[in-house]
Amino acid sequence: MAVMETRTVGIGAGARELATEDMILNIGPQHPSTHGVLRLRLTLDGELIDSAEPIVGYMHRGAEKLFEVRDLRQIVVLANRHDWLSAFSNELGVVLAAERVLGMEVPVRAVWARTLLAELNRVLNHLMFLGSYPLEVGAITPMFYAFREREELQRVLEEVSGGRMHYMFNRVGGLKEDLPFGWLERTRQAVALVRSRMPDITDIILGNEIFRARTRGVGVLTREQILQYGVSGPIARASGVDFDLRRDEPYLAYGELDVPVVTRTEGDCLARFECLHDQVLASLDLADACLERLAALPPGPINQRLPKILKIPVGHTYAWTENPLGINGYYLVSRGEKTPWRLKLRSASYNNIQVLPEMLKGQLVADMVAILGSMFFVVGDIDK
């Protein structure tokens, strides 16, 4: 909806335009440019954005309150859904927090398998945005290439877990079950195939002059803004913030891996896209390293045996992970029952979207969709 008013003073030849009121433009909550049900309330001064107000809450997920009336096994079902593109990583944060408060040690095979699956999930997430972001600025072909590569990895993830989006493969104490016979080799082939085809995506998008013109120098996010708003992940690293939990505060098996951290300094839409693109290649390399280590490990358990009713000891803990879209934090508080008294979720998308009012102010309304898409958010991760 758009409203514009013009005030006119005088009659006939003496008439003159006195003032033009600002236009109020609502983007959403059903606009196709958004990754879910997000609404932006823009105030326009001509073609420039004078102010922007993100309005969230349309999805009413209520995940945090639902966590409080479910035991740890049931929470995993909900946790992989708030960011449906990062399901395995979402599960992982919950079980890591639970294992920390329980003082539980996870079998080494489960540690390396989790690391491998987390990186494959990261590639799946990034490929979705590598395909969908060009679609928002007018390029439809990259989506087909990105989904072709996604399908290769979806196939092996579906084989190991039984799910395509909501894997439900993490368990407190390890993984649901052991890896299928021959799965490591099939995964190695899938990773190699995706890596060999990545130049197709690179050439068709980053080699496109129109795409670069629409994104270079647009929607610049400074390092200071990143730090003020708690923005994280590829968006933060595109503005020169060299921080990645996998390297700086390792969890799982990342402490034994050489984790490359992809950064840029420009902080614009193009830099954010390039960070996402290069992170795919880095994650494929990490997946290969995990595959080699898993192949060298002797047979052994993949999980811990748990009691029928698992009660969480009295206490609290905080676990955080480097999710595909940024830092996810899980603050678990227990009063000794089988359900948490509180499980606070710090989601990446929620913090990242806070900076939109500063980013959009002074930008052309024609660039708004390009900027919004380059923030790489999932609305379920905001309306958690």
Side-chain angles (χ1 to χ4, degrees):
M1 124 180 195
V3 178
M4 183 173 63
E5 297 179 1
T6 302
R7 294 181 183 173
T8 305
V9 177
I11 299 175
R16 64 186 179 87
E17 187 178 273
L18 179 66
T20 301
E21 299 290 340
D22 290 336
M23 175 187 288
I24 307 300
L25 185 66
N26 281 285
I27 306 295
Q30 72 289 335
H31 197 279
S33 72
T34 62
H35 300 268
V37 191
L38 175 73
R39 175 185 168 201
L40 284 179
R41 186 177 186 272
L42 306 180
T43 304
L44 305 182
D45 180 8
E47 294 187 30
L48 297 178
I49 298 173
D50 186 60
S51 67
E53 179 188 3
I55 301 172
V56 303
Y58 288 95
M59 298 191 72
H60 303 294
R61 306 288 286 182
E64 289 182 0
K65 298 305 293 181
L66 292 172
F67 290 163
E68 296 173 11
V69 293
R70 284 162 172 77
D71 65 29
L72 291 173
R73 298 175 178 90
Q74 295 168 321
I75 286 173
V76 175
V77 179
L78 296 171
N80 63 23
R81 283 164 164 76
H82 58 84
D83 173 4
W84 43 82
L85 297 180
S86 311
F88 185 86
S89 300
N90 297 338
E91 298 174 11
L92 189 59
V94 171
V95 297
L96 287 177
E99 289 160 3
R100 182 171 297 177
V101 78
L102 288 163
M104 184 178 292
E105 186 174 347
V106 177
V108 65
R109 280 176 56 77
V111 171
W112 281 97
R114 281 176 171 179
T115 310
L116 168 61
L117 293 167
E119 290 307 308
L120 294 178
N121 190 200
R122 192 181 311 274
V123 175
L124 282 174
N125 175 290
H126 291 355
L127 282 172
M128 171 63 79
F129 286 107
L130 290 180
S132 67
Y133 181 50
L135 185 65
E136 293 177 19
V137 294
I140 189 173
T141 308
M143 178 64 85
F144 299 112
Y145 284 87
F147 266 75
R148 180 187 65 177
E149 311 320 323
R150 275 177 56 86
E151 191 56 39
E152 297 297 331
L153 299 179
Q154 287 279 27
R155 188 176 295 113
V156 294
L157 278 169
E158 185 176 8
E159 179 187 356
V160 75
S161 68
R164 287 181 61 84
M165 286 187 67
H166 306 307
Y167 304 109
M168 270 301 295
F169 199 53
N170 276 290
R171 295 291 187 275
V172 176
L175 294 173
K176 176 185 174 185
E177 55 195 12
D178 209 343
L179 309 176
F181 179 76
W183 183 83
L184 291 178
E185 181 57 35
R186 289 189 289 276
T187 303
R188 184 178 288 108
Q189 293 173 3
V191 168
L193 185 59
V194 171
R195 183 186 288 106
S196 69
R197 290 173 172 176
M198 279 303 294
D200 294 342
I201 297 177
T202 306
D203 295 342
I204 201 170
I205 306 174
L206 292 177
N208 188 294
E209 294 180 6
I210 299 174
F211 177 81
R212 300 183 76 88
R214 287 292 309 275
T215 56
R216 185 189 290 114
V218 174
V220 175
L221 189 58
T222 66
R223 189 176 189 276
E224 290 69 28
Q225 290 171 328
I226 294 285
L227 299 177
Q228 289 171 356
Y229 283 86
V231 177
S232 59
I235 300 171
R237 292 192 283 272
S239 296
V241 179
D242 188 8
F243 181 72
D244 190 311
L245 287 176
R246 295 172 298 169
R247 179 197 65 190
D248 300 324
E249 290 201 21
Y251 57 97
L252 294 182
Y254 289 115
E256 301 182 44
L257 295 170
D258 181 16
V259 179
V261 179
V262 180
T263 61
R264 293 289 188 277
T265 56
E266 297 84 356
D268 56 10
C269 294
L270 181 60
R272 291 190 280 274
F273 187 86
E274 288 176 342
C275 270
L276 210 69
H277 172 275
D278 291 354
Q279 181 60 63
V280 169
L281 302 176
S283 291
L284 291 173
D285 291 341
L286 289 173
D288 273 339
C290 292
L291 285 165
E292 290 181 12
R293 183 60 183 269
L294 278 167
L297 287 176
I302 199 101
N303 51 36
Q304 296 274 19
R305 292 184 64 87
L306 300 177
K308 186 174 182 180
I309 297 177
L310 180 62
K311 291 190 176 182
I312 316 168
V314 176
H316 61 91
T317 190
Y318 182 76
W320 57 349
T321 60
E322 187 69 42
N323 264 40
L325 298 182
I327 293 174
N328 269 28
Y330 305 83
Y331 180 52
L332 175 63
V333 183
S334 171
R335 290 184 172 177
E337 301 168 349
K338 67 176 183 178
T339 60
W341 181 76
R342 185 78 169 94
L343 180 52
K344 174 73 175 83
L345 169 62
R346 187 266 191 213
S347 62
S349 296
Y350 185 81
N351 279 69
N352 290 356
I353 210 68
Q354 289 184 101
V355 78
L356 272 178
E358 284 206 39
M359 287 184 68
L360 291 174
K361 185 176 177 61
Q363 299 287 336
L364 288 167
V365 69
D367 289 331
M368 184 273 300
V369 172
I371 297 170
L372 191 64
S374 73
M375 295 305 287
F376 310 130
F377 60 87
V378 172
V379 179
D381 209 32
I382 300 170
D383 295 345
K384 62 191 187 315

CSV table of all heavy atoms in Angstrom, one decimal, residues 103-151:
chain,number,residue,atom,x,y,z
A,103,GLY,N,27.3,-33.1,31.6
A,103,GLY,CA,28.7,-33.6,31.7
A,103,GLY,C,28.9,-34.8,30.9
A,103,GLY,O,29.7,-35.7,31.3
A,104,MET,N,28.3,-34.9,29.8
A,104,MET,CA,28.4,-36.2,28.9
A,104,MET,C,29.5,-36.1,27.9
A,104,MET,O,29.6,-35.0,27.2
A,104,MET,CB,27.0,-36.4,28.3
A,104,MET,CG,26.9,-37.6,27.5
A,104,MET,SD,25.3,-37.8,26.8
A,104,MET,CE,24.3,-38.1,28.3
A,105,GLU,N,30.2,-37.1,27.7
A,105,GLU,CA,31.3,-37.2,26.7
A,105,GLU,C,30.7,-38.0,25.5
A,105,GLU,O,30.2,-39.1,25.7
A,105,GLU,CB,32.5,-37.8,27.2
A,105,GLU,CG,33.7,-37.8,26.2
A,105,GLU,CD,35.0,-38.3,26.8
A,105,GLU,OE1,35.1,-38.5,28.1
A,105,GLU,OE2,35.9,-38.6,26.1
A,106,VAL,N,30.9,-37.5,24.3
A,106,VAL,CA,30.3,-38.1,23.1
A,106,VAL,C,31.3,-38.9,22.4
A,106,VAL,O,32.5,-38.5,22.4
A,106,VAL,CB,29.8,-37.0,22.2
A,106,VAL,CG1,29.2,-37.6,20.9
A,106,VAL,CG2,28.7,-36.1,22.9
A,107,PRO,N,31.0,-40.1,21.9
A,107,PRO,CA,32.0,-40.9,21.2
A,107,PRO,C,32.7,-40.2,20.1
A,107,PRO,O,32.0,-39.3,19.4
A,107,PRO,CB,31.1,-42.1,20.7
A,107,PRO,CG,30.0,-42.2,21.6
A,107,PRO,CD,29.7,-40.8,22.0
A,108,VAL,N,33.9,-40.5,19.8
A,108,VAL,CA,34.7,-39.8,18.8
A,108,VAL,C,34.1,-39.9,17.4
A,108,VAL,O,34.2,-38.9,16.6
A,108,VAL,CB,36.2,-40.2,18.9
A,108,VAL,CG1,36.3,-41.7,18.4
A,108,VAL,CG2,37.0,-39.3,18.0
A,109,ARG,N,33.5,-41.0,17.1
A,109,ARG,CA,32.9,-41.2,15.8
A,109,ARG,C,31.7,-40.2,15.6
A,109,ARG,O,31.5,-39.7,14.5
A,109,ARG,CB,32.4,-42.6,15.6
A,109,ARG,CG,33.5,-43.6,15.2
A,109,ARG,CD,33.0,-45.0,15.1
A,109,ARG,NE,31.9,-45.2,14.2
A,109,ARG,CZ,32.0,-45.2,12.9
A,109,ARG,NH1,33.2,-45.1,12.3
A,109,ARG,NH2,30.9,-45.4,12.1
A,110,ALA,N,31.0,-40.0,16.7
A,110,ALA,CA,29.9,-39.1,16.6
A,110,ALA,C,30.4,-37.7,16.4
A,110,ALA,O,29.7,-36.9,15.7
A,110,ALA,CB,29.0,-39.2,17.9
A,111,VAL,N,31.5,-37.3,17.1
A,111,VAL,CA,32.0,-36.0,17.0
A,111,VAL,C,32.4,-35.7,15.6
A,111,VAL,O,32.0,-34.6,15.0
A,111,VAL,CB,33.2,-35.8,17.9
A,111,VAL,CG1,33.9,-34.5,17.7
A,111,VAL,CG2,32.8,-35.9,19.4
A,112,TRP,N,33.1,-36.6,14.9
A,112,TRP,CA,33.5,-36.3,13.5
A,112,TRP,C,32.4,-36.4,12.5
A,112,TRP,O,32.3,-35.6,11.6
A,112,TRP,CB,34.6,-37.3,13.1
A,112,TRP,CG,36.0,-36.9,13.7
A,112,TRP,CD1,36.5,-37.4,14.8
A,112,TRP,CD2,36.8,-35.9,13.2
A,112,TRP,NE1,37.7,-36.7,15.0
A,112,TRP,CE2,37.9,-35.8,14.0
A,112,TRP,CE3,36.8,-35.1,12.0
A,112,TRP,CZ2,39.0,-35.0,13.8
A,112,TRP,CZ3,37.9,-34.2,11.8
A,112,TRP,CH2,39.0,-34.2,12.7
A,113,ALA,N,31.4,-37.3,12.8
A,113,ALA,CA,30.3,-37.4,11.9
A,113,ALA,C,29.4,-36.1,12.0
A,113,ALA,O,28.9,-35.6,11.0
A,113,ALA,CB,29.4,-38.6,12.2
A,114,ARG,N,29.2,-35.6,13.2
A,114,ARG,CA,28.5,-34.4,13.4
A,114,ARG,C,29.2,-33.2,12.7
A,114,ARG,O,28.5,-32.4,12.0
A,114,ARG,CB,28.4,-34.0,14.9
A,114,ARG,CG,27.4,-34.8,15.7
A,114,ARG,CD,27.5,-34.4,17.2
A,114,ARG,NE,26.3,-34.9,17.9
A,114,ARG,CZ,26.2,-34.7,19.2
A,114,ARG,NH1,27.1,-34.0,19.9
A,114,ARG,NH2,25.2,-35.2,19.9
A,115,THR,N,30.5,-33.1,12.8
A,115,THR,CA,31.2,-32.1,12.1
A,115,THR,C,31.0,-32.1,10.6
A,115,THR,O,30.8,-31.1,9.9
A,115,THR,CB,32.7,-32.2,12.4
A,115,THR,OG1,32.9,-32.2,13.9
A,115,THR,CG2,33.5,-30.9,11.9
A,116,LEU,N,31.1,-33.4,10.0
A,116,LEU,CA,30.9,-33.6,8.6
A,116,LEU,C,29.5,-33.1,8.2
A,116,LEU,O,29.3,-32.4,7.2
A,116,LEU,CB,31.1,-35.0,8.3
A,116,LEU,CG,30.6,-35.5,6.9
A,116,LEU,CD1,31.4,-34.8,5.8
A,116,LEU,CD2,30.8,-37.0,6.7
A,117,LEU,N,28.5,-33.6,8.9
A,117,LEU,CA,27.1,-33.3,8.6
A,117,LEU,C,26.8,-31.8,8.7
A,117,LEU,O,26.0,-31.2,8.0
A,117,LEU,CB,26.2,-34.1,9.4
A,117,LEU,CG,26.2,-35.6,9.1
A,117,LEU,CD1,25.5,-36.4,10.2
A,117,LEU,CD2,25.6,-35.9,7.8
A,118,ALA,N,27.4,-31.1,9.7
A,118,ALA,CA,27.2,-29.7,9.9
A,118,ALA,C,27.8,-28.9,8.7
A,118,ALA,O,27.2,-27.9,8.2
A,118,ALA,CB,27.9,-29.2,11.2
A,119,GLU,N,28.9,-29.4,8.2
A,119,GLU,CA,29.5,-28.7,7.0
A,119,GLU,C,28.7,-28.9,5.7
A,119,GLU,O,28.5,-28.1,4.9
A,119,GLU,CB,30.9,-29.1,6.8
A,119,GLU,CG,31.9,-28.5,7.9
A,119,GLU,CD,31.7,-27.0,8.1
A,119,GLU,OE1,31.8,-26.3,7.0
A,119,GLU,OE2,31.5,-26.6,9.2
A,120,LEU,N,28.2,-30.2,5.6
A,120,LEU,CA,27.3,-30.4,4.4
A,120,LEU,C,26.0,-29.6,4.5
A,120,LEU,O,25.5,-29.1,3.5
A,120,LEU,CB,27.0,-31.9,4.4
A,120,LEU,CG,28.1,-32.9,4.1
A,120,LEU,CD1,27.6,-34.3,4.1
A,120,LEU,CD2,28.8,-32.6,2.8
A,121,ASN,N,25.5,-29.5,5.7
A,121,ASN,CA,24.3,-28.6,5.9
A,121,ASN,C,24.6,-27.2,5.6
A,121,ASN,O,23.8,-26.4,5.1
A,121,ASN,CB,23.8,-28.8,7.4
A,121,ASN,CG,22.4,-28.2,7.6
A,121,ASN,OD1,22.1,-27.9,8.7
A,121,ASN,ND2,21.7,-27.9,6.6
A,122,ARG,N,25.8,-26.7,5.9
A,122,ARG,CA,26.2,-25.3,5.6
A,122,ARG,C,26.2,-25.1,4.1
A,122,ARG,O,25.8,-24.1,3.6
A,122,ARG,CB,27.6,-25.1,6.2
A,122,ARG,CG,28.0,-23.6,6.3
A,122,ARG,CD,29.4,-23.4,6.9
A,122,ARG,NE,29.5,-24.1,8.1
A,122,ARG,CZ,29.2,-23.6,9.3
A,122,ARG,NH1,28.7,-22.4,9.4
A,122,ARG,NH2,29.4,-24.3,10.4
A,123,VAL,N,26.7,-26.1,3.4
A,123,VAL,CA,26.8,-25.9,1.9
A,123,VAL,C,25.4,-25.9,1.4
A,123,VAL,O,25.1,-25.1,0.5
A,123,VAL,CB,27.6,-27.1,1.3
A,123,VAL,CG1,27.5,-27.0,-0.2
A,123,VAL,CG2,29.1,-27.0,1.8
A,124,LEU,N,24.5,-26.7,1.9
A,124,LEU,CA,23.1,-26.7,1.4
A,124,LEU,C,22.5,-25.4,1.7
A,124,LEU,O,21.8,-24.8,0.8
A,124,LEU,CB,22.3,-27.8,2.1
A,124,LEU,CG,22.5,-29.2,1.7
A,124,LEU,CD1,21.7,-30.2,2.6
A,124,LEU,CD2,22.0,-29.4,0.2
A,125,ASN,N,22.7,-24.8,2.8
A,125,ASN,CA,22.1,-23.5,3.1
A,125,ASN,C,22.7,-22.4,2.2
A,125,ASN,O,21.9,-21.7,1.6
A,125,ASN,CB,22.5,-23.1,4.6
A,125,ASN,CG,22.1,-21.7,5.0
A,125,ASN,OD1,22.7,-20.7,4.5
A,125,ASN,ND2,21.1,-21.6,5.9
A,126,HIS,N,24.0,-22.4,2.0
A,126,HIS,CA,24.6,-21.4,1.1
A,126,HIS,C,24.2,-21.5,-0.3
A,126,HIS,O,24.0,-20.5,-1.0
A,126,HIS,CB,26.1,-21.4,1.3
A,126,HIS,CG,26.6,-21.0,2.6
A,126,HIS,ND1,25.7,-20.5,3.6
A,126,HIS,CD2,27.8,-20.9,3.2
A,126,HIS,CE1,26.4,-20.2,4.7
A,126,HIS,NE2,27.7,-20.4,4.5
A,127,LEU,N,24.0,-22.7,-0.8
A,127,LEU,CA,23.6,-22.9,-2.2
A,127,LEU,C,22.2,-22.4,-2.4
A,127,LEU,O,21.9,-21.9,-3.5
A,127,LEU,CB,23.7,-24.4,-2.5
A,127,LEU,CG,25.1,-25.0,-2.8
A,127,LEU,CD1,25.0,-26.5,-3.0
A,127,LEU,CD2,25.7,-24.4,-4.1
A,128,MET,N,21.3,-22.5,-1.4
A,128,MET,CA,20.0,-21.9,-1.6
A,128,MET,C,20.1,-20.4,-1.8
A,128,MET,O,19.4,-19.9,-2.7
A,128,MET,CB,19.2,-22.3,-0.3
A,128,MET,CG,17.8,-21.6,-0.3
A,128,MET,SD,16.7,-22.0,-1.6
A,128,MET,CE,16.1,-23.6,-1.0
A,129,PHE,N,20.9,-19.7,-1.0
A,129,PHE,CA,21.0,-18.3,-1.2
A,129,PHE,C,21.8,-17.9,-2.4
A,129,PHE,O,21.5,-16.9,-3.0
A,129,PHE,CB,21.6,-17.7,0.1
A,129,PHE,CG,20.6,-17.6,1.3
A,129,PHE,CD1,20.8,-18.5,2.3
A,129,PHE,CD2,19.6,-16.8,1.3
A,129,PHE,CE1,20.0,-18.5,3.4
A,129,PHE,CE2,18.7,-16.7,2.3
A,129,PHE,CZ,18.9,-17.6,3.4
A,130,LEU,N,22.7,-18.7,-2.8
A,130,LEU,CA,23.5,-18.4,-4.0
A,130,LEU,C,22.5,-18.5,-5.2
A,130,LEU,O,22.7,-17.8,-6.2
A,130,LEU,CB,24.6,-19.4,-4.2
A,130,LEU,CG,25.8,-19.3,-3.3
A,130,LEU,CD1,26.9,-20.3,-3.6
A,130,LEU,CD2,26.4,-17.9,-3.3
A,131,GLY,N,21.5,-19.3,-5.2
A,131,GLY,CA,20.6,-19.4,-6.3
A,131,GLY,C,19.4,-18.4,-6.2
A,131,GLY,O,19.0,-17.9,-7.2
A,132,SER,N,18.9,-18.2,-4.9
A,132,SER,CA,17.8,-17.3,-4.8
A,132,SER,C,18.1,-15.9,-4.8
A,132,SER,O,17.3,-15.1,-5.3
A,132,SER,CB,17.0,-17.7,-3.5
A,132,SER,OG,17.8,-17.3,-2.4
A,133,TYR,N,19.3,-15.5,-4.4
A,133,TYR,CA,19.6,-14.0,-4.4
A,133,TYR,C,19.6,-13.4,-5.8
A,133,TYR,O,19.0,-12.4,-6.1
A,133,TYR,CB,20.9,-13.8,-3.6
A,133,TYR,CG,21.3,-12.3,-3.6
A,133,TYR,CD1,20.3,-11.4,-3.2
A,133,TYR,CD2,22.5,-11.9,-4.0
A,133,TYR,CE1,20.6,-10.0,-3.2
A,133,TYR,CE2,22.8,-10.5,-3.9
A,133,TYR,CZ,21.9,-9.6,-3.5
A,133,TYR,OH,22.2,-8.3,-3.5
A,134,PRO,N,20.3,-14.1,-6.8
A,134,PRO,CA,20.3,-13.5,-8.1
A,134,PRO,C,18.8,-13.5,-8.7
A,134,PRO,O,18.5,-12.6,-9.5
A,134,PRO,CB,21.1,-14.5,-8.9
A,134,PRO,CG,22.0,-15.1,-7.9
A,134,PRO,CD,21.3,-15.2,-6.7
A,135,LEU,N,18.0,-14.4,-8.2
A,135,LEU,CA,16.6,-14.4,-8.7
A,135,LEU,C,15.9,-13.1,-8.3
A,135,LEU,O,15.1,-12.6,-9.0
A,135,LEU,CB,15.9,-15.6,-8.1
A,135,LEU,CG,14.4,-15.9,-8.5
A,135,LEU,CD1,14.3,-16.2,-10.0
A,135,LEU,CD2,13.8,-17.0,-7.6
A,136,GLU,N,16.3,-12.6,-7.1
A,136,GLU,CA,15.6,-11.4,-6.7
A,136,GLU,C,16.1,-10.1,-7.4
A,136,GLU,O,15.4,-9.1,-7.3
A,136,GLU,CB,15.9,-11.2,-5.2
A,136,GLU,CG,15.2,-12.3,-4.4
A,136,GLU,CD,15.5,-12.2,-2.9
A,136,GLU,OE1,15.9,-11.1,-2.4
A,136,GLU,OE2,15.3,-13.2,-2.2
A,137,VAL,N,17.2,-10.2,-8.1
A,137,VAL,CA,17.7,-9.0,-8.9
A,137,VAL,C,17.5,-9.3,-10.4
A,137,VAL,O,18.1,-8.6,-11.2
A,137,VAL,CB,19.1,-8.6,-8.5
A,137,VAL,CG1,19.2,-8.1,-7.1
A,137,VAL,CG2,20.1,-9.8,-8.8
A,138,GLY,N,16.7,-10.4,-10.7
A,138,GLY,CA,16.3,-10.6,-12.1
A,138,GLY,C,17.0,-11.7,-12.8
A,138,GLY,O,16.7,-11.8,-14.0
A,139,ALA,N,17.8,-12.5,-12.2
A,139,ALA,CA,18.4,-13.6,-12.9
A,139,ALA,C,17.9,-15.0,-12.4
A,139,ALA,O,18.0,-15.3,-11.3
A,139,ALA,CB,19.9,-13.6,-12.6
A,140,ILE,N,17.2,-15.7,-13.3
A,140,ILE,CA,16.5,-16.9,-12.9
A,140,ILE,C,17.4,-18.1,-13.1
A,140,ILE,O,17.3,-19.1,-12.3
A,140,ILE,CB,15.2,-17.1,-13.7
A,140,ILE,CG1,14.4,-18.2,-13.2
A,140,ILE,CG2,15.5,-17.3,-15.2
A,140,ILE,CD1,13.0,-18.4,-13.8
A,141,THR,N,18.3,-18.1,-14.0
A,141,THR,CA,19.1,-19.3,-14.3
A,141,THR,C,19.9,-19.9,-13.2
A,141,THR,O,20.0,-21.1,-13.0
A,141,THR,CB,20.0,-19.1,-15.5
A,141,THR,OG1,19.2,-18.5,-16.6
A,141,THR,CG2,20.7,-20.3,-16.0
A,142,PRO,N,20.6,-19.0,-12.4
A,142,PRO,CA,21.4,-19.6,-11.3
A,142,PRO,C,20.6,-20.5,-10.3
A,142,PRO,O,21.2,-21.4,-9.7
A,142,PRO,CB,21.9,-18.3,-10.5
A,142,PRO,CG,21.9,-17.3,-11.6
A,142,PRO,CD,20.7,-17.6,-12.5
A,143,MET,N,19.4,-20.3,-10.2
A,143,MET,CA,18.6,-21.1,-9.2
A,143,MET,C,18.6,-22.6,-9.7
A,143,MET,O,18.7,-23.5,-8.8
A,143,MET,CB,17.1,-20.6,-9.2
A,143,MET,CG,16.2,-21.5,-8.3
A,143,MET,SD,16.7,-21.4,-6.6
A,143,MET,CE,15.8,-19.9,-6.1
A,144,PHE,N,18.6,-22.8,-11.0
A,144,PHE,CA,18.6,-24.2,-11.5
A,144,PHE,C,19.9,-24.9,-11.2
A,144,PHE,O,20.0,-26.1,-10.8
A,144,PHE,CB,18.3,-24.3,-12.9
A,144,PHE,CG,16.9,-23.7,-13.3
A,144,PHE,CD1,16.8,-22.5,-14.0
A,144,PHE,CD2,15.8,-24.4,-12.9
A,144,PHE,CE1,15.5,-22.0,-14.3
A,144,PHE,CE2,14.5,-23.9,-13.2
A,144,PHE,CZ,14.4,-22.7,-13.8
A,145,TYR,N,21.0,-24.1,-11.4
A,145,TYR,CA,22.4,-24.6,-11.1
A,145,TYR,C,22.5,-24.9,-9.6
A,145,TYR,O,23.1,-26.0,-9.2
A,145,TYR,CB,23.4,-23.6,-11.5
A,145,TYR,CG,23.7,-23.6,-13.0
A,145,TYR,CD1,22.9,-22.8,-13.9
A,145,TYR,CD2,24.6,-24.4,-13.6
A,145,TYR,CE1,23.1,-22.8,-15.2
A,145,TYR,CE2,24.9,-24.4,-15.0
A,145,TYR,CZ,24.1,-23.6,-15.8
A,145,TYR,OH,24.3,-23.5,-17.1
A,146,ALA,N,22.1,-24.0,-8.8
A,146,ALA,CA,22.2,-24.2,-7.3
A,146,ALA,C,21.4,-25.4,-6.8
A,146,ALA,O,21.9,-26.2,-6.0
A,146,ALA,CB,21.8,-22.9,-6.6
A,147,PHE,N,20.2,-25.6,-7.4
A,147,PHE,CA,19.4,-26.7,-6.9
A,147,PHE,C,20.0,-28.0,-7.5
A,147,PHE,O,19.8,-29.1,-6.9
A,147,PHE,CB,18.0,-26.5,-7.3
A,147,PHE,CG,17.1,-25.9,-6.3
A,147,PHE,CD1,17.2,-24.5,-6.0
A,147,PHE,CD2,16.3,-26.6,-5.5
A,147,PHE,CE1,16.5,-23.9,-5.0
A,147,PHE,CE2,15.5,-26.1,-4.5
A,147,PHE,CZ,15.6,-24.7,-4.3
A,148,ARG,N,20.6,-28.0,-8.6
A,148,ARG,CA,21.3,-29.2,-9.1
A,148,ARG,C,22.3,-29.7,-8.1
A,148,ARG,O,22.4,-30.9,-7.8
A,148,ARG,CB,21.9,-28.9,-10.5
A,148,ARG,CG,22.6,-30.1,-11.1
A,148,ARG,CD,23.3,-29.8,-12.3
A,148,ARG,NE,24.4,-28.8,-12.1
A,148,ARG,CZ,25.3,-28.4,-13.0
A,148,ARG,NH1,25.1,-28.8,-14.3
A,148,ARG,NH2,26.3,-27.6,-12.7
A,149,GLU,N,23.1,-28.8,-7.6
A,149,GLU,CA,24.2,-29.1,-6.6
A,149,GLU,C,23.6,-29.5,-5.3
A,149,GLU,O,24.1,-30.4,-4.6
A,149,GLU,CB,25.2,-28.0,-6.5
A,149,GLU,CG,25.7,-27.4,-7.7
A,149,GLU,CD,26.0,-28.4,-8.8
A,149,GLU,OE1,26.5,-29.5,-8.5
A,149,GLU,OE2,25.8,-28.1,-10.0
A,150,ARG,N,22.5,-28.8,-4.9
A,150,ARG,CA,21.9,-29.1,-3.6
A,150,ARG,C,21.4,-30.6,-3.6
A,150,ARG,O,21.4,-31.3,-2.6
A,150,ARG,CB,20.7,-28.2,-3.4
A,150,ARG,CG,21.1,-26.9,-2.7
A,150,ARG,CD,19.9,-26.0,-2.6
A,150,ARG,NE,18.8,-26.6,-1.9
A,150,ARG,CZ,18.6,-26.6,-0.5
A,150,ARG,NH1,19.5,-26.0,0.2
A,150,ARG,NH2,17.6,-27.2,0.0
A,151,GLU,N,20.8,-31.0,-4.8
A,151,GLU,CA,20.2,-32.3,-4.8
A,151,GLU,C,21.3,-33.4,-4.6
A,151,GLU,O,21.0,-34.5,-4.1
A,151,GLU,CB,19.6,-32.5,-6.2
A,151,GLU,CG,18.7,-33.8,-6.3
A,151,GLU,CD,17.6,-33.8,-5.2
A,151,GLU,OE1,17.0,-32.7,-4.9
A,151,GLU,OE2,17.4,-34.9,-4.6
